[in-house]
Amino acid sequence: MKFSAQEEYGLRCLLQIARLPSGQSMTIPEIGKLEGLTQPHVAKLMMILRKGGFITSTRGQAGGYTLARSPDMIVLGDVLNALGGRLYDEEFCGKHSGHNSICTHAIDCSVRSVWQVVQTAVDDVVFKINLADLMVSETPATNVRFYSEPGRLQPAHS
């Protein structure tokens, strides 16, 4: 299982914007230089993030991109869904039916149940992490404790 380059780079670009001091914005060339991405690639990612409601853009000499809301209100799962979609969704079986109009296993599919469990497990992680959680230094996964409410990730030693 892999996360796409679009999800990885989009999240990194969003974090660059999130780390800006309040009131400042960042341009496509600035983001591209910091992340080692081409300007057209950054422009595409910014369009997706803007349409997803995570960033706003301002035109002009002092223009650029800023967060649309505070980092603690931007949930990782929502960002990943906007950038690349879910691993498994209701249309999954229709997209993988081979040459048939419906999957030959549409009634009794043990594989579908595995993908549903995997999606639930991923959701249980990514919908409990917000952008503010990712703005701190890297924390080893063994030192992280997840809470039941969205956007709550804290070091286990706290």
Side-chain angles (χ1 to χ4, degrees):
M1 185 173 359
K2 296 179 182 180
F3 286 100
S4 70
Q6 182 163 294
E7 292 162 326
E8 171 72 17
Y9 294 142
L11 184 57
R12 286 172 29 186
C13 291
L14 187 60
L15 282 166
Q16 287 291 348
I17 296 167
R19 290 186 176 111
L20 289 172
S22 181
Q24 288 190 9
S25 63
M26 188 173 269
T27 65
I28 287 172
E30 291 170 333
I31 296 168
K33 185 175 181 181
L34 289 169
E35 289 300 327
L37 301 172
T38 65
Q39 290 183 30
H41 194 176
V42 174
K44 176 185 174 185
L45 296 169
M46 294 297 100
M47 179 188 67
I48 294 168
L49 293 169
R50 187 181 52 75
K51 286 183 177 180
F54 306 109
I55 59 174
T56 58
S57 61
T58 305
R59 293 179 181 220
Q61 186 80 357
Y65 292 91
T66 58
L67 288 183
R69 53 188 185 267
S70 67
D72 62 328
M73 299 302 292
I74 297 176
V75 178
L76 177 60
D78 294 332
V79 175
L80 293 175
N81 283 343
L83 289 165
R86 297 165 56 87
L87 297 171
Y88 174 85
D89 58 25
E90 295 302 317
E91 292 85 38
F92 185 86
C93 294
K95 295 175 191 170
H96 298 89
S97 60
H99 296 294
N100 301 325
S101 59
I102 62 168
C103 181
T104 57
H105 303 283
I107 302 301
D108 183 26
C109 181
S110 58
V111 175
R112 178 178 47 231
S113 62
V114 169
W115 295 136
Q116 289 170 332
V117 169
V118 168
Q119 183 63 59
T120 299
V122 169
D123 287 348
D124 284 346
V125 174
V126 299
F127 282 98
K128 292 179 181 159
I129 301 172
N130 62 43
L131 202 57
D133 295 324
L134 299 177
M135 294 170 59
V136 297
S137 297
E138 185 174 0
T139 304
T142 56
N143 292 336
V144 173
R145 172 182 27 207
F146 295 96
Y147 291 87
S148 59
E149 62 269 16
R152 297 285 300 165
L153 170 80
Q154 294 187 344
H157 51 74
S158 60

